[in-house]
Amino acid sequence: MNSKKTIIFAAVLACLLLFYYFYEVRGGKARQEAKDRSERVLNFDTAKVKQLTLQGKDQALTIESSAGGWKLTAPLATPGDKEAIEAFLKTVATQKRSRYVKEDVTDLQPYGLEKPRLTLSLTIDGEEKPRTLAIGAENPAGAGVYMLADGAKAVELAPTSLYASLNRGVYDLRDKALLHFAPERLQEIELNVGETRIVLRHGGAPSGAAAKPDAGKEPQPKTEAPSGATATLPGKGSAWHLSVPLAADASQRDVEDLIKLLKEAKVKEFSSESTDELAPYGLEAPKVRVDLRAGDDQASFLLGRFDEKKKGVYARRSGSKQVLLMDEKFIEKLPKEVASLRHRKTFEFERDKVTELEFEAAGERVQVRKKGKDDWEMLAPDAVKADEVRISSFLWDLADIEAAAFVDEQPQDLAAYGLDKPSRWYRVKIEGRKEPQELRIGAKSADGNLVYATMTGWKNVIGLKAKDMEPVFNRDAMMMRFKKLWVFKNADIERVSLLFDGETYELKRAGSEWELRRPKEARLPSWKGAGLLYQLGDAEFAAIVEKSGAGAGDYGFDRPKAKATLWGAGGKEVGTITIGNPMPEKKGEKKLYYVRSSGKEGVYGIEEKFLKDVEGETKELVKGLTS
């Protein structure tokens, strides 16, 4: 009997769940959609609109849908703006009723609907009569506008924003794209800016190959590109390269930005729909010509005079008699010299693929090598552990080095640039590559703004911004070393003893909290103990006094300025650092103190800031505490 009841209860529960799902979940969604549709002023499918007519105060326009897209047919025949028109229709289709003002209206004049400010008519596929919407005056409070839908006699109130959204003219709804092209099909881009002719080609000639002169044009001198630069970006296939005025790798990023600029360029004003008079617009002798080619297809435009008053430049498409006005920002962003499109990167590597880094500066050679993930060792000038964080930062700086100028394509004498005997060089070895990448640094330019440089395998000389290179030039062996005076995990520390000018402070862990044992006893919040350990963990040396030995000199370790000792579980000492006398001060340099560590051979210098920070944090522990 019990089992039968269980089966019956389970069946009833299943039925209830099914009812809930189909009625409340699926049915609820359908009911909500139906409710939303019933609340709309004009309920229609935007995809079925075949024609819309919009009559404003001063202008009427007609737009039709066809297989080729939207097009304006009145007051002029021109392609429509797909996104703008579809957004317009969506606004109309989703407009919900606000409230009825009056039904069975016989006099429309008080509502401004006798001669509406705006009238919209929609011809919808499958419907005999057009759908209409008329918008009249604002209500006295200025909170809405009166409207009539589908010729009804009931006046409704709509938000004032509806009129603003629908009050569109020819410019708003016509196609404003400067050019139409498929970026993925582009094979060639040609820019003629004044006397400068630049030709970019996709794929084809390899890096460093001579450009093939175009028919009817003067052959260009053969100029070799930096063969050290990569012609193909990972996952990009054939890359863009320059063929005129020289054969060289192009900056893929900058070419893509150029293509995006051209693809997204919008006409600011249609200055003339048709004219043969080009002189007033500076188009009889254009300053700029841009040609895009994809097989037999070509799109191009000219740029003429800049209109100071309108803040734009006049333009004309090839094969068109229209005169357009493009915004001044468009001409500002358009490349005007070949250097802005050249490949400017020096080093090309992924940081996690670098196996060795070597450089020489100021007569000192520094060499570090990767031992494993996040683990580096220094081979020169000393065999010690290297600092992975600073090496990673240095690799970022190297990867960011770009040419600021292309100084000499085929230098006859490297000595003129100080590159016959480089003052510095930086070499990177990369996993899977036989030859390392090496940047050589020469002299500065006469004005001091540039540093001459070249890469191994390159035949040209480039200029690097001297100011941008300062972080690279400041790197030395000391910065690459691992300089921690001790290494520990905060969770492993059970006891801390600190000595400052003869006064001892002692902390002991008590579960998740800390206890102050000396100079007085008190409970401490856990974050105070953790904060002190983090500060102690930051102890790094800033100078090397003695690389080995316990320090026989008078460094003040027998009467220390400060001393810190850490213990772990079972009372095992983790380490001790002792800070002695101040080191002799050097003009313009930070004040240092002698320091030694029980776990590290030698004597070092530590910044006064560390001493002050830890001492201040420690003495802060006893302020305001009660036993």
Side-chain angles (χ1 to χ4, degrees):
M1 187 66 180
N2 289 337
S3 62
K4 286 184 178 180
K5 284 185 178 180
T6 302
I7 293 171
I8 292 170
F9 289 149
V12 171
L13 179 60
C15 291
L16 289 172
L17 289 172
L18 288 170
F19 174 81
Y20 174 78
Y21 174 73
F22 284 103
Y23 182 80
E24 293 294 339
V25 179
R26 292 183 60 178
K29 183 179 180 182
R31 287 193 300 276
Q32 184 60 46
E33 290 175 352
K35 182 176 180 292
D36 289 342
R37 287 194 296 271
S38 70
E39 293 175 349
R40 293 174 184 173
V41 176
L42 296 179
N43 183 30
F44 64 92
D45 184 351
T46 59
K48 292 185 177 181
V49 176
K50 305 302 292 180
Q51 184 187 75
L52 72 88
T53 301
L54 188 63
Q55 175 69 60
K57 183 178 179 181
D58 301 318
Q59 189 179 54
L61 60 91
T62 302
I63 304 173
E64 296 180 358
S65 174
S66 64
W70 293 97
K71 60 181 180 180
L72 276 73
T73 57
L76 76 164
T78 187
D81 185 326
K82 180 177 182 293
E83 290 184 7
I85 293 170
E86 290 181 354
F88 178 92
L89 291 173
K90 184 178 179 181
T91 299
V92 178
T94 57
Q95 178 60 46
K96 290 187 177 182
R97 299 183 185 281
S98 178
R99 68 181 177 89
Y100 286 102
V101 177
K102 188 174 183 181
E103 298 187 23
D104 297 323
V105 177
T106 56
D107 184 8
L108 298 175
Q109 193 274 333
Y111 306 102
L113 289 166
E114 185 178 15
K115 294 181 180 179
R117 288 195 290 169
L118 183 147
T119 303
L120 172 66
S121 176
L122 302 174
T123 302
I124 298 173
D125 190 24
E127 296 187 13
E128 292 184 6
K129 293 183 179 181
R131 311 297 296 276
T132 61
L133 184 69
I135 296 180
E138 288 188 1
N139 71 337
V145 291
Y146 298 117
M147 72 174 180
L148 285 177
D150 279 338
K153 292 184 178 181
V155 176
E156 299 179 57
L157 192 67
T160 53
S161 59
L162 180 63
Y163 174 74
S165 299
L166 301 186
N167 186 27
R168 294 287 179 258
V170 171
Y171 175 82
D172 301 308
L173 298 178
R174 74 185 297 179
D175 180 23
K176 295 175 282 294
L178 175 62
L179 296 174
H180 284 283
F181 63 92
E184 66 276 7
R185 292 188 61 238
L186 275 183
Q187 296 172 339
E188 186 173 281
I189 303 172
E190 181 173 342
L191 300 167
N192 286 276
V193 184
E195 299 297 318
T196 302
R197 177 171 175 252
I198 304 169
V199 178
L200 292 154
R201 291 197 173 108
H202 191 264
S207 173
K212 182 179 178 181
D214 288 0
K217 303 214 175 174
E218 282 288 305
Q220 301 294 321
K222 178 177 178 180
T223 310
E224 299 209 13
S227 58
T230 306
T232 304
L233 294 180
K236 286 287 186 182
S238 296
W240 285 95
H241 64 274
L242 285 152
S243 61
V244 177
L246 78 166
D249 291 324
S251 165
Q252 306 306 304
R253 178 189 61 201
D254 291 321
V255 175
E256 288 169 5
D257 286 347
L258 169 60
I259 293 171
K260 183 180 180 182
L261 174 69
L262 297 174
K263 181 68 177 174
E264 296 179 355
K266 301 294 183 184
V267 176
K268 183 178 183 179
E269 174 190 285
F270 292 86
S271 304
S272 175
E273 294 296 338
S274 179
T275 182
D276 291 321
E277 295 294 323
L278 301 181
Y281 307 103
L283 290 165
E284 81 289 0
K287 297 180 179 180
V288 176
R289 179 185 174 99
V290 178
D291 295 273
L292 308 181
R293 302 184 183 97
D296 295 331
D297 297 329
Q298 178 170 325
S300 58
F301 65 89
L302 309 172
L303 296 178
R305 180 176 66 84
F306 183 81
D307 191 315
E308 191 65 43
K309 186 177 180 180
K310 294 183 177 181
K311 300 299 180 185
V313 61
Y314 292 108
R316 192 175 201 179
R317 304 185 190 99
S318 59
S320 171
K321 288 193 174 185
Q322 283 181 328
V323 174
L324 319 169
L325 185 74
M326 302 302 296
D327 190 86
E328 61 181 340
K329 291 181 181 178
F330 174 74
I331 190 67
E332 288 172 4
K333 293 179 181 179
L334 200 66
K336 300 170 185 63
E337 54 186 27
V338 68
S340 63
L341 290 167
R342 287 188 68 169
H343 183 91
R344 298 183 293 278
K345 296 285 286 184
T346 52
F347 287 102
E348 296 276 358
F349 58 76
E350 296 177 34
R351 286 187 308 127
D352 59 346
K353 299 293 184 183
V354 174
T355 60
E356 193 171 303
L357 170 63
E358 188 177 1
F359 62 95
E360 184 174 276
E364 180 183 53
R365 187 176 74 88
V366 181
Q367 183 181 11
V368 293
R369 181 174 60 194
K370 183 184 284 187
K371 290 176 64 179
K373 182 176 172 58
D374 300 333
D375 187 15
W376 288 76
E377 62 179 343
M378 180 177 285
L379 304 178
D382 298 308
V384 294
K385 182 176 173 59
D387 191 319
E388 184 274 333
V389 174
R390 288 185 171 90
I391 291 171
S392 179
S393 173
F394 191 23
L395 290 175
W396 273 116
D397 288 343
L398 292 177
D400 286 341
I401 297 175
E402 291 189 353
F406 295 89
V407 179
D408 195 337
E409 296 300 330
Q410 293 181 320
Q412 301 299 311
D413 183 15
L414 288 175
Y417 304 102
L419 289 166
D420 56 329
K421 296 178 181 178
S423 60
R424 304 168 182 267
W425 52 263
Y426 300 87
R427 183 182 301 140
V428 177
K429 290 185 179 179
I430 303 152
E431 181 183 327
R433 297 192 193 179
K434 186 177 179 181
E435 297 297 328
Q437 296 179 16
E438 184 178 310
L439 175 69
R440 296 174 181 174
I441 305 295
K444 281 189 175 183
S445 59
D447 60 9
N449 292 328
L450 295 178
V451 177
Y452 299 125
T454 189
M455 293 286 290
T456 50
W458 289 17
K459 294 184 178 180
N460 61 344
V461 174
I462 60 174
L464 308 174
K465 286 185 179 179
K467 190 172 182 179
D468 292 348
M469 291 301 293
E470 287 177 4
V472 175
F473 293 164
N474 288 337
R475 295 304 205 287
D476 57 17
M478 179 62 73
M479 294 185 74
M480 297 294 104
R481 293 176 72 115
F482 185 78
K483 297 183 286 294
K484 293 283 187 183
L485 288 166
W486 52 12
V487 178
F488 58 85
K489 292 181 180 178
N490 287 8
D492 294 338
I493 304 305
E494 296 291 328
R495 188 158 63 97
V496 181
S497 176
L498 299 159
L499 175 71
F500 294 103
D501 293 326
E503 186 168 9
T504 301
Y505 299 79
E506 188 173 317
L507 291 82
K508 192 175 189 307
R509 190 186 294 274
S512 61
E513 302 294 316
W514 284 86
E515 293 178 348
L516 183 66
R517 294 294 185 86
R518 294 176 64 183
K520 61 193 303 185
E521 293 187 358
R523 280 277 190 179
L524 297 175
S526 59
W527 61 268
K528 284 198 172 185
L532 181 61
L533 287 176
Y534 277 119
Q535 281 198 329
L536 290 170
D538 286 338
E540 288 188 350
F541 62 83
I544 301 172
V545 180
E546 292 184 18
K547 290 184 179 180
S548 60
D554 184 15
Y555 301 121
F557 296 140
D558 57 336
R559 49 189 186 285
K561 174 76 173 173
K563 187 175 182 179
T565 304
L566 305 178
W567 288 270
K572 184 179 179 181
E573 184 176 325
V574 173
T576 297
I577 58 172
T578 306
I579 299 176
N581 296 331
M583 293 175 58
E585 292 191 43
K586 295 181 180 179
K587 189 176 180 180
E589 295 187 8
K590 294 177 180 178
K591 187 175 182 179
L592 302 179
Y593 282 77
Y594 294 113
V595 65
R596 69 181 178 188
S597 171
S598 61
K600 197 175 191 69
E601 196 175 13
V603 177
Y604 304 89
I606 193 168
E607 289 185 10
E608 182 183 40
K609 182 180 183 303
F610 171 81
L611 177 63
K612 287 186 174 181
D613 287 348
V614 175
E615 184 176 9
E617 183 78 13
T618 303
K619 291 182 177 180
E620 194 69 27
L621 295 177
V622 301
K623 283 187 178 180
L625 292 179
T626 57
S627 300

